[in-house]
Amino acid sequence: MKLDSMYQEVILDHYKHPHGRGLRDGDAEVHHVNPTCGDEITLRVKYDGDRVEDVSYEGQGCSISQASASVLNDLLVGKDLETARKIQETFLELMQSKGAVEPDDAMEEVLEDAVAFAGVSKFPARVKCALLSWMAWKDATAQALGESEKKEKSA
């Protein structure tokens, strides 16, 4: 019970004091909506080669969706693309576990504050909230990398 309470505090802290909020310059922008509950996010990514230079966003919705975007910013900015994708895949695995995956030390090392969303995985309707910004990041990254490949070919 104590761990659940700590996790709730982490989510509320990120919701009340978001990291990365406010759209800044980026290489790609996407807008995602969770039609189930109405949560929305507009997310921009900026890359310096294969390093995530910045992730910025504006959004509205529940504490889970907004806190998840803040955690994403903390975890991915400054990471190389391969590491960022590993973090995203680990978070996706946790969210799709339906509560069956208990974060171990290795997972906590990869996900840091994102392990606070472990309890969310037990509630399918809330999983979409937690994954909203992560799916937006994945799409924006694909868009940004596609654009950079086109620029190289036309140069």
Side-chain angles (χ1 to χ4, degrees):
M1 233 17 194
K2 203 171 194 179
L3 191 59
D4 286 342
S5 177
M6 184 184 76
Y7 285 170
Q8 288 173 349
E9 287 298 318
V10 168
I11 291 171
L12 284 175
D13 187 53
H14 275 279
Y15 177 66
K16 291 176 183 175
H17 309 285
H19 305 166
R21 189 171 188 83
L23 291 172
R24 296 177 290 281
D25 287 340
D27 297 323
E29 175 181 304
V30 298
H31 181 78
H32 279 211
V33 177
N34 179 350
T36 308
C37 64
D39 290 352
E40 294 186 39
I41 191 161
T42 301
L43 184 138
R44 289 183 185 158
V45 294
K46 185 168 183 66
Y47 282 89
D48 180 9
D50 75 339
R51 187 180 63 81
V52 181
E53 186 175 317
D54 192 28
V55 177
S56 62
Y57 66 94
E58 279 295 332
Q60 60 185 21
C62 69
S63 60
I64 292 170
S65 72
Q66 300 304 296
S68 186
S70 175
V71 169
L72 177 145
N73 172 276
D74 281 358
L75 287 174
L76 302 187
V77 171
K79 302 288 191 305
D80 63 80
L81 185 57
E82 184 179 336
T83 302
R85 284 190 170 143
K86 180 183 177 197
I87 294 167
Q88 190 266 340
E89 289 165 7
T90 304
F91 187 71
L92 183 62
E93 175 190 340
L94 178 65
M95 289 295 93
Q96 292 178 335
S97 74
K98 298 180 181 173
V101 171
E102 283 292 324
D104 59 12
D105 290 345
M107 184 176 273
E108 286 184 22
E109 190 173 315
V110 172
L111 293 180
E112 299 175 18
D113 278 357
V115 298
F117 295 89
V120 173
S121 69
K122 299 173 188 170
F123 306 98
R126 308 306 284 171
V127 167
K128 289 180 181 182
C129 301
L131 287 175
L132 184 65
S133 59
W134 295 83
M135 295 299 104
W137 174 79
K138 187 176 179 182
D139 288 351
T141 293
Q143 189 181 99
L145 297 178
E147 288 175 4
S148 66
E149 288 170 12
K150 288 176 191 170
K151 286 178 192 172
E152 288 173 14
K153 288 179 183 175
S154 64

